[in-house]
PDB file of all heavy atoms in Angstrom:
ATOM      1  N   CYS A   6      -2.775  62.936 -47.042  1.00 93.00           N
ATOM      2  CA  CYS A   6      -3.475  64.233 -47.150  1.00 93.00           C
ATOM      3  C   CYS A   6      -3.923  64.661 -45.750  1.00 93.00           C
ATOM      4  O   CYS A   6      -4.417  63.917 -44.950  1.00 93.00           O
ATOM      5  CB  CYS A   6      -4.698  64.013 -48.023  1.00 93.00           C
ATOM      6  SG  CYS A   6      -5.972  65.238 -47.814  1.00 93.00           S
ATOM      7  N   LYS A   7      -3.746  65.950 -45.454  1.00 89.00           N
ATOM      8  CA  LYS A   7      -4.350  66.557 -44.295  1.00 89.00           C
ATOM      9  C   LYS A   7      -5.311  67.626 -44.741  1.00 89.00           C
ATOM     10  O   LYS A   7      -4.921  68.491 -45.570  1.00 89.00           O
ATOM     11  CB  LYS A   7      -3.291  67.192 -43.385  1.00 89.00           C
ATOM     12  CG  LYS A   7      -2.453  66.159 -42.647  1.00 89.00           C
ATOM     13  CD  LYS A   7      -1.607  66.799 -41.555  1.00 89.00           C
ATOM     14  CE  LYS A   7      -0.269  67.220 -42.097  1.00 89.00           C
ATOM     15  NZ  LYS A   7       0.726  67.652 -41.125  1.00 89.00           N
ATOM     16  N   VAL A   8      -6.506  67.609 -44.303  1.00 92.00           N
ATOM     17  CA  VAL A   8      -7.428  68.714 -44.698  1.00 92.00           C
ATOM     18  C   VAL A   8      -7.004  70.007 -43.942  1.00 92.00           C
ATOM     19  O   VAL A   8      -6.471  69.899 -42.841  1.00 92.00           O
ATOM     20  CB  VAL A   8      -8.894  68.394 -44.402  1.00 92.00           C
ATOM     21  CG1 VAL A   8      -9.388  67.194 -45.197  1.00 92.00           C
ATOM     22  CG2 VAL A   8      -9.132  68.181 -42.901  1.00 92.00           C
ATOM     23  N   HIS A 140      -9.286  62.686 -54.893  1.00 98.00           N
ATOM     24  CA  HIS A 140      -9.443  62.773 -53.429  1.00 98.00           C
ATOM     25  C   HIS A 140      -9.476  64.205 -52.987  1.00 98.00           C
ATOM     26  O   HIS A 140     -10.402  64.623 -52.247  1.00 98.00           O
ATOM     27  CB  HIS A 140      -8.276  62.011 -52.800  1.00 98.00           C
ATOM     28  CG  HIS A 140      -8.250  62.077 -51.270  1.00 98.00           C
ATOM     29  ND1 HIS A 140      -8.632  61.037 -50.472  1.00 98.00           N
ATOM     30  CD2 HIS A 140      -7.828  63.081 -50.419  1.00 98.00           C
ATOM     31  CE1 HIS A 140      -8.467  61.386 -49.234  1.00 98.00           C
ATOM     32  NE2 HIS A 140      -8.025  62.609 -49.169  1.00 98.00           N
ATOM     33  N   GLU A 141      -8.476  64.996 -53.390  1.00 98.00           N
ATOM     34  CA  GLU A 141      -8.426  66.418 -52.938  1.00 98.00           C
ATOM     35  C   GLU A 141      -9.681  67.188 -53.408  1.00 98.00           C
ATOM     36  O   GLU A 141     -10.241  68.007 -52.677  1.00 98.00           O
ATOM     37  CB  GLU A 141      -7.161  67.094 -53.421  1.00 98.00           C
ATOM     38  CG  GLU A 141      -5.869  66.536 -52.851  1.00 98.00           C
ATOM     39  CD  GLU A 141      -5.849  66.448 -51.338  1.00 98.00           C
ATOM     40  OE1 GLU A 141      -6.473  67.251 -50.627  1.00 98.00           O
ATOM     41  OE2 GLU A 141      -5.166  65.542 -50.825  1.00 98.00           O
ATOM     42  N   HIS A 144     -12.617  66.639 -51.230  1.00 97.00           N
ATOM     43  CA  HIS A 144     -12.645  67.594 -50.109  1.00 97.00           C
ATOM     44  C   HIS A 144     -13.189  68.934 -50.553  1.00 97.00           C
ATOM     45  O   HIS A 144     -14.004  69.551 -49.826  1.00 97.00           O
ATOM     46  CB  HIS A 144     -11.246  67.802 -49.575  1.00 97.00           C
ATOM     47  CG  HIS A 144     -10.697  66.662 -48.783  1.00 97.00           C
ATOM     48  ND1 HIS A 144     -11.371  65.954 -47.804  1.00 97.00           N
ATOM     49  CD2 HIS A 144      -9.458  66.068 -48.776  1.00 97.00           C
ATOM     50  CE1 HIS A 144     -10.616  65.027 -47.285  1.00 97.00           C
ATOM     51  NE2 HIS A 144      -9.433  65.075 -47.877  1.00 97.00           N
ATOM     52  N   HIS A 150     -12.844  62.817 -44.713  1.00 94.00           N
ATOM     53  CA  HIS A 150     -12.119  61.516 -44.827  1.00 94.00           C
ATOM     54  C   HIS A 150     -13.028  60.398 -44.444  1.00 94.00           C
ATOM     55  O   HIS A 150     -13.587  60.368 -43.350  1.00 94.00           O
ATOM     56  CB  HIS A 150     -10.841  61.574 -43.938  1.00 94.00           C
ATOM     57  CG  HIS A 150      -9.709  62.236 -44.617  1.00 94.00           C
ATOM     58  ND1 HIS A 150      -8.830  63.037 -43.969  1.00 94.00           N
ATOM     59  CD2 HIS A 150      -9.274  62.241 -45.939  1.00 94.00           C
ATOM     60  CE1 HIS A 150      -7.921  63.521 -44.797  1.00 94.00           C
ATOM     61  NE2 HIS A 150      -8.184  63.038 -46.010  1.00 94.00           N
ATOM     62  N   MET A 205     -12.098  58.719 -50.653  1.00 96.00           N
ATOM     63  CA  MET A 205     -11.762  59.589 -49.520  1.00 96.00           C
ATOM     64  C   MET A 205     -11.171  58.830 -48.358  1.00 96.00           C
ATOM     65  O   MET A 205     -10.956  59.323 -47.250  1.00 96.00           O
ATOM     66  CB  MET A 205     -12.979  60.385 -49.036  1.00 96.00           C
ATOM     67  CG  MET A 205     -13.749  61.167 -50.123  1.00 96.00           C
ATOM     68  SD  MET A 205     -12.662  62.214 -51.120  1.00 96.00           S
ATOM     69  CE  MET A 205     -12.103  63.398 -49.913  1.00 96.00           C
ATOM     70  N   TYR A 207      -8.117  56.796 -46.441  1.00 95.00           N
ATOM     71  CA  TYR A 207      -6.620  56.528 -46.392  1.00 95.00           C
ATOM     72  C   TYR A 207      -6.389  55.095 -46.759  1.00 95.00           C
ATOM     73  O   TYR A 207      -7.235  54.193 -46.452  1.00 95.00           O
ATOM     74  CB  TYR A 207      -6.104  56.740 -44.975  1.00 95.00           C
ATOM     75  CG  TYR A 207      -5.670  58.173 -44.606  1.00 95.00           C
ATOM     76  CD1 TYR A 207      -6.016  59.286 -45.348  1.00 95.00           C
ATOM     77  CD2 TYR A 207      -4.984  58.322 -43.384  1.00 95.00           C
ATOM     78  CE1 TYR A 207      -5.639  60.518 -44.927  1.00 95.00           C
ATOM     79  CE2 TYR A 207      -4.562  59.583 -43.013  1.00 95.00           C
ATOM     80  CZ  TYR A 207      -4.897  60.657 -43.734  1.00 95.00           C
ATOM     81  OH  TYR A 207      -4.501  61.914 -43.304  1.00 95.00           O
TER      82      TYR A 207
HETATM   83 ZN1   ZN B 301      -7.741  63.955 -47.704  1.00 66.68          ZN
END
Side-chain angles (χ1 to χ4, degrees):
C6 160
K7 285 190 274 191
V8 297
H140 176 104
E141 296 306 331
H144 287 314
H150 278 141
M205 305 311 293
Y207 272 12

